[in-house]
PDB file of all heavy atoms in Angstrom:
ATOM      1  N   ALA A   1       4.795   6.668   9.652  1.00 92.00           N
ATOM      2  CA  ALA A   1       4.210   7.935  10.109  1.00 92.00           C
ATOM      3  C   ALA A   1       2.764   7.703  10.477  1.00 92.00           C
ATOM      4  O   ALA A   1       2.112   6.746  10.024  1.00 92.00           O
ATOM      5  CB  ALA A   1       4.317   9.014   9.031  1.00 92.00           C
ATOM      6  N   SER A   2       2.243   8.572  11.314  1.00 91.00           N
ATOM      7  CA  SER A   2       0.842   8.524  11.687  1.00 91.00           C
ATOM      8  C   SER A   2      -0.016   9.131  10.573  1.00 91.00           C
ATOM      9  O   SER A   2       0.372  10.104   9.913  1.00 91.00           O
ATOM     10  CB  SER A   2       0.599   9.300  12.990  1.00 91.00           C
ATOM     11  OG  SER A   2      -0.776   9.415  13.270  1.00 91.00           O
ATOM     12  N   ALA A   3      -1.188   8.530  10.344  1.00 90.00           N
ATOM     13  CA  ALA A   3      -2.080   9.054   9.309  1.00 90.00           C
ATOM     14  C   ALA A   3      -2.578  10.454   9.665  1.00 90.00           C
ATOM     15  O   ALA A   3      -2.773  11.302   8.780  1.00 90.00           O
ATOM     16  CB  ALA A   3      -3.268   8.111   9.115  1.00 90.00           C
ATOM     17  N   VAL A   4      -2.768  10.720  10.956  1.00 89.00           N
ATOM     18  CA  VAL A   4      -3.182  12.060  11.373  1.00 89.00           C
ATOM     19  C   VAL A   4      -2.069  13.062  11.122  1.00 89.00           C
ATOM     20  O   VAL A   4      -2.314  14.218  10.731  1.00 89.00           O
ATOM     21  CB  VAL A   4      -3.598  12.039  12.855  1.00 89.00           C
ATOM     22  CG1 VAL A   4      -3.925  13.433  13.356  1.00 89.00           C
ATOM     23  CG2 VAL A   4      -4.793  11.119  13.047  1.00 89.00           C
ATOM     24  N   HIS A   5      -0.832  12.635  11.323  1.00 87.00           N
ATOM     25  CA  HIS A   5       0.300  13.520  11.068  1.00 87.00           C
ATOM     26  C   HIS A   5       0.412  13.878   9.590  1.00 87.00           C
ATOM     27  O   HIS A   5       0.863  14.972   9.239  1.00 87.00           O
ATOM     28  CB  HIS A   5       1.587  12.846  11.545  1.00 87.00           C
ATOM     29  CG  HIS A   5       2.823  13.651  11.296  1.00 87.00           C
ATOM     30  ND1 HIS A   5       3.120  14.794  11.999  1.00 87.00           N
ATOM     31  CD2 HIS A   5       3.835  13.492  10.397  1.00 87.00           C
ATOM     32  CE1 HIS A   5       4.255  15.301  11.560  1.00 87.00           C
ATOM     33  NE2 HIS A   5       4.708  14.527  10.589  1.00 87.00           N
ATOM     34  N   LEU A   6      -0.045  13.002   8.715  1.00 87.00           N
ATOM     35  CA  LEU A   6      -0.004  13.271   7.274  1.00 87.00           C
ATOM     36  C   LEU A   6      -1.243  13.989   6.768  1.00 87.00           C
ATOM     37  O   LEU A   6      -1.328  14.268   5.575  1.00 87.00           O
ATOM     38  CB  LEU A   6       0.163  11.954   6.510  1.00 87.00           C
ATOM     39  CG  LEU A   6       1.463  11.191   6.772  1.00 87.00           C
ATOM     40  CD1 LEU A   6       1.481   9.896   5.990  1.00 87.00           C
ATOM     41  CD2 LEU A   6       2.662  12.051   6.431  1.00 87.00           C
ATOM     42  N   GLY A   7      -2.195  14.290   7.647  1.00 83.00           N
ATOM     43  CA  GLY A   7      -3.352  15.074   7.239  1.00 83.00           C
ATOM     44  C   GLY A   7      -4.684  14.383   7.362  1.00 83.00           C
ATOM     45  O   GLY A   7      -5.707  14.977   7.034  1.00 83.00           O
ATOM     46  N   ALA A   8      -4.731  13.134   7.815  1.00 84.00           N
ATOM     47  CA  ALA A   8      -6.008  12.445   7.962  1.00 84.00           C
ATOM     48  C   ALA A   8      -6.755  12.950   9.195  1.00 84.00           C
ATOM     49  O   ALA A   8      -6.188  13.608  10.077  1.00 84.00           O
ATOM     50  CB  ALA A   8      -5.784  10.931   8.063  1.00 84.00           C
ATOM     51  N   ARG A   9      -8.035  12.649   9.243  1.00 84.00           N
ATOM     52  CA  ARG A   9      -8.861  13.076  10.364  1.00 84.00           C
ATOM     53  C   ARG A   9      -8.776  12.086  11.519  1.00 84.00           C
ATOM     54  O   ARG A   9      -8.523  10.894  11.322  1.00 84.00           O
ATOM     55  CB  ARG A   9     -10.324  13.194   9.913  1.00 84.00           C
ATOM     56  CG  ARG A   9     -10.557  14.234   8.842  1.00 84.00           C
ATOM     57  CD  ARG A   9     -12.013  14.302   8.455  1.00 84.00           C
ATOM     58  NE  ARG A   9     -12.840  14.654   9.587  1.00 84.00           N
ATOM     59  CZ  ARG A   9     -14.165  14.759   9.546  1.00 84.00           C
ATOM     60  NH1 ARG A   9     -14.805  14.498   8.415  1.00 84.00           N
ATOM     61  NH2 ARG A   9     -14.854  15.092  10.619  1.00 84.00           N
ATOM     62  N   HIS A  10      -9.002  12.599  12.716  1.00 87.00           N
ATOM     63  CA  HIS A  10      -9.061  11.721  13.884  1.00 87.00           C
ATOM     64  C   HIS A  10     -10.306  10.845  13.803  1.00 87.00           C
ATOM     65  O   HIS A  10     -11.339  11.263  13.265  1.00 87.00           O
ATOM     66  CB  HIS A  10      -9.092  12.552  15.164  1.00 87.00           C
ATOM     67  CG  HIS A  10      -7.785  13.184  15.509  1.00 87.00           C
ATOM     68  ND1 HIS A  10      -6.807  12.535  16.224  1.00 87.00           N
ATOM     69  CD2 HIS A  10      -7.284  14.413  15.220  1.00 87.00           C
ATOM     70  CE1 HIS A  10      -5.771  13.333  16.386  1.00 87.00           C
ATOM     71  NE2 HIS A  10      -6.030  14.486  15.772  1.00 87.00           N
ATOM     72  N   PRO A  11     -10.254   9.647  14.321  1.00 87.00           N
ATOM     73  CA  PRO A  11     -11.442   8.778  14.284  1.00 87.00           C
ATOM     74  C   PRO A  11     -12.551   9.344  15.157  1.00 87.00           C
ATOM     75  O   PRO A  11     -12.302  10.061  16.143  1.00 87.00           O
ATOM     76  CB  PRO A  11     -10.914   7.435  14.814  1.00 87.00           C
ATOM     77  CG  PRO A  11      -9.711   7.790  15.622  1.00 87.00           C
ATOM     78  CD  PRO A  11      -9.092   8.992  14.953  1.00 87.00           C
ATOM     79  N   LEU A  12     -13.791   9.005  14.802  1.00 84.00           N
ATOM     80  CA  LEU A  12     -14.927   9.486  15.570  1.00 84.00           C
ATOM     81  C   LEU A  12     -14.971   8.854  16.955  1.00 84.00           C
ATOM     82  O   LEU A  12     -15.370   9.503  17.923  1.00 84.00           O
ATOM     83  CB  LEU A  12     -16.226   9.188  14.818  1.00 84.00           C
ATOM     84  CG  LEU A  12     -16.378   9.887  13.456  1.00 84.00           C
ATOM     85  CD1 LEU A  12     -17.675   9.471  12.798  1.00 84.00           C
ATOM     86  CD2 LEU A  12     -16.334  11.396  13.621  1.00 84.00           C
ATOM     87  N   ARG A  13     -14.541   7.622  17.061  1.00 85.00           N
ATOM     88  CA  ARG A  13     -14.507   6.945  18.350  1.00 85.00           C
ATOM     89  C   ARG A  13     -13.100   6.998  18.913  1.00 85.00           C
ATOM     90  O   ARG A  13     -12.142   6.614  18.247  1.00 85.00           O
ATOM     91  CB  ARG A  13     -14.954   5.490  18.196  1.00 85.00           C
ATOM     92  CG  ARG A  13     -16.379   5.346  17.682  1.00 85.00           C
ATOM     93  CD  ARG A  13     -16.741   3.884  17.488  1.00 85.00           C
ATOM     94  NE  ARG A  13     -18.099   3.734  16.967  1.00 85.00           N
ATOM     95  CZ  ARG A  13     -18.659   2.570  16.670  1.00 85.00           C
ATOM     96  NH1 ARG A  13     -17.956   1.441  16.841  1.00 85.00           N
ATOM     97  NH2 ARG A  13     -19.889   2.535  16.197  1.00 85.00           N
ATOM     98  N   PRO A  14     -12.933   7.472  20.145  1.00 83.00           N
ATOM     99  CA  PRO A  14     -11.572   7.600  20.696  1.00 83.00           C
ATOM    100  C   PRO A  14     -10.853   6.271  20.863  1.00 83.00           C
ATOM    101  O   PRO A  14      -9.624   6.229  20.866  1.00 83.00           O
ATOM    102  CB  PRO A  14     -11.809   8.277  22.060  1.00 83.00           C
ATOM    103  CG  PRO A  14     -13.145   8.915  21.952  1.00 83.00           C
ATOM    104  CD  PRO A  14     -13.942   8.048  21.044  1.00 83.00           C
ATOM    105  N   ASN A  15     -11.601   5.177  21.011  1.00 86.00           N
ATOM    106  CA  ASN A  15     -10.941   3.886  21.218  1.00 86.00           C
ATOM    107  C   ASN A  15     -10.435   3.271  19.920  1.00 86.00           C
ATOM    108  O   ASN A  15      -9.774   2.227  19.942  1.00 86.00           O
ATOM    109  CB  ASN A  15     -11.898   2.913  21.913  1.00 86.00           C
ATOM    110  CG  ASN A  15     -13.199   2.743  21.138  1.00 86.00           C
ATOM    111  OD1 ASN A  15     -13.469   3.483  20.201  1.00 86.00           O
ATOM    112  ND2 ASN A  15     -14.005   1.781  21.545  1.00 86.00           N
ATOM    113  N   GLU A  16     -10.735   3.863  18.773  1.00 87.00           N
ATOM    114  CA  GLU A  16     -10.240   3.352  17.508  1.00 87.00           C
ATOM    115  C   GLU A  16      -8.856   3.937  17.204  1.00 87.00           C
ATOM    116  O   GLU A  16      -8.495   5.012  17.673  1.00 87.00           O
ATOM    117  CB  GLU A  16     -11.201   3.715  16.377  1.00 87.00           C
ATOM    118  CG  GLU A  16     -12.560   3.027  16.486  1.00 87.00           C
ATOM    119  CD  GLU A  16     -13.461   3.381  15.323  1.00 87.00           C
ATOM    120  OE1 GLU A  16     -13.066   4.278  14.529  1.00 87.00           O
ATOM    121  OE2 GLU A  16     -14.546   2.788  15.208  1.00 87.00           O
ATOM    122  N   GLY A  17      -8.102   3.216  16.391  1.00 89.00           N
ATOM    123  CA  GLY A  17      -6.762   3.664  16.039  1.00 89.00           C
ATOM    124  C   GLY A  17      -6.784   4.842  15.074  1.00 89.00           C
ATOM    125  O   GLY A  17      -7.715   5.014  14.273  1.00 89.00           O
ATOM    126  N   GLU A  18      -5.750   5.654  15.163  1.00 90.00           N
ATOM    127  CA  GLU A  18      -5.642   6.816  14.273  1.00 90.00           C
ATOM    128  C   GLU A  18      -5.237   6.423  12.855  1.00 90.00           C
ATOM    129  O   GLU A  18      -5.535   7.146  11.909  1.00 90.00           O
ATOM    130  CB  GLU A  18      -4.618   7.801  14.836  1.00 90.00           C
ATOM    131  CG  GLU A  18      -5.006   8.408  16.168  1.00 90.00           C
ATOM    132  CD  GLU A  18      -3.950   9.370  16.672  1.00 90.00           C
ATOM    133  OE1 GLU A  18      -2.871   9.437  16.022  1.00 90.00           O
ATOM    134  OE2 GLU A  18      -4.191  10.037  17.689  1.00 90.00           O
ATOM    135  N   GLY A  19      -4.580   5.307  12.715  1.00 91.00           N
ATOM    136  CA  GLY A  19      -4.097   4.886  11.405  1.00 91.00           C
ATOM    137  C   GLY A  19      -2.606   5.084  11.261  1.00 91.00           C
ATOM    138  O   GLY A  19      -2.033   6.048  11.778  1.00 91.00           O
ATOM    139  N   VAL A  20      -1.981   4.171  10.556  1.00 94.00           N
ATOM    140  CA  VAL A  20      -0.528   4.198  10.344  1.00 94.00           C
ATOM    141  C   VAL A  20      -0.260   4.053   8.850  1.00 94.00           C
ATOM    142  O   VAL A  20      -0.864   3.209   8.178  1.00 94.00           O
ATOM    143  CB  VAL A  20       0.172   3.060  11.118  1.00 94.00           C
ATOM    144  CG1 VAL A  20       1.677   3.114  10.901  1.00 94.00           C
ATOM    145  CG2 VAL A  20      -0.154   3.148  12.586  1.00 94.00           C
ATOM    146  N   VAL A  21       0.635   4.876   8.341  1.00 93.00           N
ATOM    147  CA  VAL A  21       1.105   4.782   6.953  1.00 93.00           C
ATOM    148  C   VAL A  21       2.554   4.319   6.995  1.00 93.00           C
ATOM    149  O   VAL A  21       3.389   4.945   7.668  1.00 93.00           O
ATOM    150  CB  VAL A  21       0.982   6.124   6.225  1.00 93.00           C
ATOM    151  CG1 VAL A  21       1.516   6.008   4.808  1.00 93.00           C
ATOM    152  CG2 VAL A  21      -0.464   6.595   6.209  1.00 93.00           C
ATOM    153  N   LEU A  22       2.853   3.247   6.320  1.00 93.00           N
ATOM    154  CA  LEU A  22       4.225   2.731   6.307  1.00 93.00           C
ATOM    155  C   LEU A  22       4.544   2.159   4.938  1.00 93.00           C
ATOM    156  O   LEU A  22       3.638   1.877   4.134  1.00 93.00           O
ATOM    157  CB  LEU A  22       4.416   1.659   7.382  1.00 93.00           C
ATOM    158  CG  LEU A  22       3.771   0.278   7.162  1.00 93.00           C
ATOM    159  CD1 LEU A  22       4.517  -0.751   7.988  1.00 93.00           C
ATOM    160  CD2 LEU A  22       2.317   0.288   7.547  1.00 93.00           C
ATOM    161  N   ARG A  23       5.836   2.029   4.725  1.00 94.00           N
ATOM    162  CA  ARG A  23       6.343   1.413   3.499  1.00 94.00           C
ATOM    163  C   ARG A  23       7.359   0.342   3.872  1.00 94.00           C
ATOM    164  O   ARG A  23       8.165   0.529   4.799  1.00 94.00           O
ATOM    165  CB  ARG A  23       7.010   2.445   2.600  1.00 94.00           C
ATOM    166  CG  ARG A  23       6.036   3.389   1.925  1.00 94.00           C
ATOM    167  CD  ARG A  23       6.772   4.313   0.990  1.00 94.00           C
ATOM    168  NE  ARG A  23       5.864   5.224   0.306  1.00 94.00           N
ATOM    169  CZ  ARG A  23       6.260   6.113  -0.595  1.00 94.00           C
ATOM    170  NH1 ARG A  23       7.538   6.199  -0.907  1.00 94.00           N
ATOM    171  NH2 ARG A  23       5.376   6.894  -1.173  1.00 94.00           N
ATOM    172  N   ILE A  24       7.290  -0.736   3.131  1.00 95.00           N
ATOM    173  CA  ILE A  24       8.274  -1.797   3.279  1.00 95.00           C
ATOM    174  C   ILE A  24       8.972  -1.965   1.929  1.00 95.00           C
ATOM    175  O   ILE A  24       8.324  -1.932   0.870  1.00 95.00           O
ATOM    176  CB  ILE A  24       7.611  -3.111   3.738  1.00 95.00           C
ATOM    177  CG1 ILE A  24       6.469  -3.500   2.808  1.00 95.00           C
ATOM    178  CG2 ILE A  24       7.104  -2.983   5.169  1.00 95.00           C
ATOM    179  CD1 ILE A  24       5.818  -4.818   3.176  1.00 95.00           C
ATOM    180  N   GLY A  25      10.288  -2.109   1.971  1.00 94.00           N
ATOM    181  CA  GLY A  25      11.061  -2.154   0.740  1.00 94.00           C
ATOM    182  C   GLY A  25      12.042  -3.304   0.687  1.00 94.00           C
ATOM    183  O   GLY A  25      12.407  -3.894   1.714  1.00 94.00           O
ATOM    184  N   SER A  26      12.462  -3.570  -0.529  1.00 93.00           N
ATOM    185  CA  SER A  26      13.434  -4.646  -0.766  1.00 93.00           C
ATOM    186  C   SER A  26      14.079  -4.407  -2.124  1.00 93.00           C
ATOM    187  O   SER A  26      13.581  -3.633  -2.952  1.00 93.00           O
ATOM    188  CB  SER A  26      12.746  -6.013  -0.725  1.00 93.00           C
ATOM    189  OG  SER A  26      13.648  -7.030  -1.087  1.00 93.00           O
ATOM    190  N   ARG A  27      15.190  -5.093  -2.343  1.00 93.00           N
ATOM    191  CA  ARG A  27      15.861  -5.008  -3.631  1.00 93.00           C
ATOM    192  C   ARG A  27      15.233  -5.934  -4.672  1.00 93.00           C
ATOM    193  O   ARG A  27      15.495  -5.811  -5.865  1.00 93.00           O
ATOM    194  CB  ARG A  27      17.342  -5.364  -3.469  1.00 93.00           C
ATOM    195  CG  ARG A  27      18.112  -4.377  -2.606  1.00 93.00           C
ATOM    196  CD  ARG A  27      19.567  -4.803  -2.464  1.00 93.00           C
ATOM    197  NE  ARG A  27      20.223  -4.893  -3.767  1.00 93.00           N
ATOM    198  CZ  ARG A  27      20.831  -3.873  -4.387  1.00 93.00           C
ATOM    199  NH1 ARG A  27      20.859  -2.673  -3.789  1.00 93.00           N
ATOM    200  NH2 ARG A  27      21.417  -4.038  -5.550  1.00 93.00           N
TER     201      ARG A  27
END
């Protein structure tokens, strides 16, 4: 999911990334 979609703020510089939240799993 996007960090902005989860409630984070947009970066001050438009050329910077918004941020990504992810999980990786295994048994």
